[in-house]
Amino acid sequence: MAKSPAEEIDVDGLTVRVSNPDKVYFPDRGITKRQVVEHYVAVREPLLAVLYERPTHLKRFVDGVTGEFFYQKRVPKGAPEWVDTVEVRFPSGRPATEICPTRTAVLPWAANLGTFDFHPWPVRRGQVDQPDELRIDLDPQPGTDFADAVRVAGVLREVLADAGLHGRPKTSGGRGIHVLVPVRPEWDFVGVRRAVIALAREVCRRIPSEATVDWWKEERGERVFLDYNQAARDRTIASAWSVRGTPRATVSMPLRWEDLPDVDPDDFDVLTAAGVLAEHGDALAGLHDDPGSLETALEWVERDQRDHDLGDLPYPPEYPKMPGEPKRVQPSRANPLTSGKEA
């Protein structure tokens, strides 16, 4: 198929060039690059609020959803001068200069590069080592679904309240749910991750047959996994309003708690999300107006260690070994002579 002529669009006073706008990105539904760009123009204000001054990875599908994707972590060559940047450090200690959105035009510009998802760090420029947001990822395991994640999210909401925190949910764009929790940027990534583990463990105590923090898949069973490692440095989740790499072109949709039990995540996609925003407004508006403290959650960390002998949990395999971390050995492959288990 021949390429369609490039077009230029004005986005709040800045010109963005869209090449081959008729290129089909989602063949099952015939959704084109133009429609992805139009989505990001329509939701640009609430999406920029989510990404504003955050180091951001771009998940790029340059050949559409049926092609290979990659994460663009460093600023792409040829980026316009109005694409702001910030330096961060990966877990290895290596530095990188990443995009740091401050203008709405960055969003359709990135979409023109084949970006479906925006993956922001939970930090702001100026305090790149102190997260100001917990992201708790509720991931349904085989045998569970979105309805199970909704039930676990309800218990998580209660646990957050007991810890003096509040959050707001969004669909992941798949079967899962993400809960975003604003916190004061006073703790480092290690402390924030340990706080997330303590919160997740408390959820599991209340509904042990429905929720798990087990890192190894063989131990999770038919439960919803609370993925605590999404709080580790350089781990990100797709932002609210991001298009996901699904055949339906679903969108990660922010919701109000009272609406969560009644929605179908497939209802939110490139063609419908902007209409939901226009009708119901931004469910994340004002999220960071009242950030919380991690003091209670960190007290729970100490309680778990003291009363239950529960310490840290494994980091992802690509991370350097961390102080106090248990062995990264799949339980079924652990040597009983070195694992402390009876043979």
Side-chain angles (χ1 to χ4, degrees):
M1 180 177 177
K3 290 185 177 182
S4 53
E7 300 176 357
E8 290 188 345
I9 58 174
D10 179 88
V11 184
D12 298 324
L14 294 173
T15 300
V16 176
R17 183 177 184 273
V18 181
S19 62
N20 197 13
D22 294 331
K23 182 176 182 177
V24 176
Y25 271 175
F26 296 89
D28 285 2
R29 303 187 67 194
I31 293 172
T32 64
K33 175 193 274 194
R34 176 186 284 109
Q35 290 170 299
V36 173
V37 170
E38 289 172 348
H39 162 77
Y40 280 124
V41 171
V43 302
R44 65 191 186 278
E45 291 185 2
L47 176 52
L48 183 63
V50 168
L51 303 179
Y52 189 73
E53 290 198 338
R54 296 193 186 279
T56 301
H57 304 161
L58 309 177
K59 190 175 182 181
R60 295 176 60 185
F61 293 74
V62 295
D63 294 316
V65 73
T66 59
E68 298 292 326
F69 68 83
F70 66 95
Y71 286 94
Q72 179 90 49
K73 293 192 174 184
R74 291 176 169 82
V75 179
K77 292 182 179 179
E81 52 85 21
W82 38 262
V83 176
D84 282 347
T85 64
V86 63
E87 184 174 289
V88 295
R89 289 193 176 273
F90 297 140
S92 65
R94 292 182 296 111
T97 301
E98 301 198 358
I99 75 164
C100 185
T102 58
R103 307 289 293 272
T104 53
V106 171
L107 311 176
W109 165 79
N112 180 59
L113 299 179
T115 298
F116 287 1
D117 318 25
F118 293 89
H119 283 249
W121 283 46
V123 300
R124 304 277 186 182
R125 182 167 59 181
Q127 289 183 296
V128 296
D129 296 314
Q130 285 81 40
D132 71 341
E133 193 172 272
L134 303 187
R135 284 90 176 263
I136 304 178
D137 181 6
L138 282 60
D139 182 11
Q141 299 302 289
T144 63
D145 57 20
F146 182 76
D148 297 295
V150 169
R151 288 193 294 273
V152 174
V155 176
L156 172 60
R157 186 186 186 189
E158 296 170 0
V159 169
L160 290 172
D162 290 346
L165 298 167
H166 66 90
R168 298 189 195 173
K170 69 182 185 70
T171 65
S172 67
R175 297 180 306 126
I177 293 171
H178 300 153
V179 177
L180 311 177
V181 182
V183 297
R184 300 197 299 268
E186 297 174 1
W187 296 271
D188 62 12
F189 280 96
V190 172
V192 167
R193 178 178 169 277
R194 291 302 303 272
V196 170
I197 290 173
L199 294 165
R201 279 176 167 153
E202 184 60 28
V203 172
C204 295
R205 284 190 188 96
R206 300 184 186 191
I207 47 170
S209 65
E210 297 182 67
T212 178
V213 291
D214 289 315
W215 178 246
W216 304 105
K217 291 183 179 180
E218 64 186 34
E219 295 188 323
R220 294 177 188 170
E222 294 186 1
R223 294 180 289 180
V224 174
F225 173 50
L226 287 86
D227 189 354
Y228 60 88
N229 268 330
Q230 295 295 5
R233 178 184 290 271
D234 192 39
R235 296 283 281 209
T236 58
I237 60 175
S239 75
W241 309 106
S242 273
V243 179
R244 304 311 309 273
T246 64
R248 284 192 55 81
T250 52
V251 166
S252 180
M253 193 73 190
L255 297 166
R256 293 172 176 83
W257 283 107
E258 58 268 26
D259 297 329
L260 192 59
D262 301 319
V263 302
D264 182 337
D266 282 349
D267 289 341
F268 310 115
D269 59 39
V270 164
L271 305 181
T272 63
V276 175
L277 172 64
E279 182 176 355
H280 298 288
D282 178 14
L284 296 181
L287 174 65
H288 282 268
D289 290 351
D290 183 25
S293 169
L294 294 182
E295 291 176 358
T296 297
L298 292 173
E299 289 174 1
W300 292 357
V301 171
E302 296 179 359
R303 176 203 63 188
D304 286 346
Q305 183 73 64
R306 181 186 64 247
D307 298 345
H308 305 289
D309 197 25
L310 295 173
D312 202 353
L313 291 171
Y315 274 78
E318 69 273 15
Y319 278 63
K321 183 68 175 177
M322 300 296 287
E325 179 191 1
K327 291 183 177 181
R328 298 179 198 170
V329 181
Q330 191 171 329
S332 60
R333 297 182 179 180
N335 184 336
L337 298 179
T338 60
S339 66
K341 296 182 179 179
E342 293 183 4

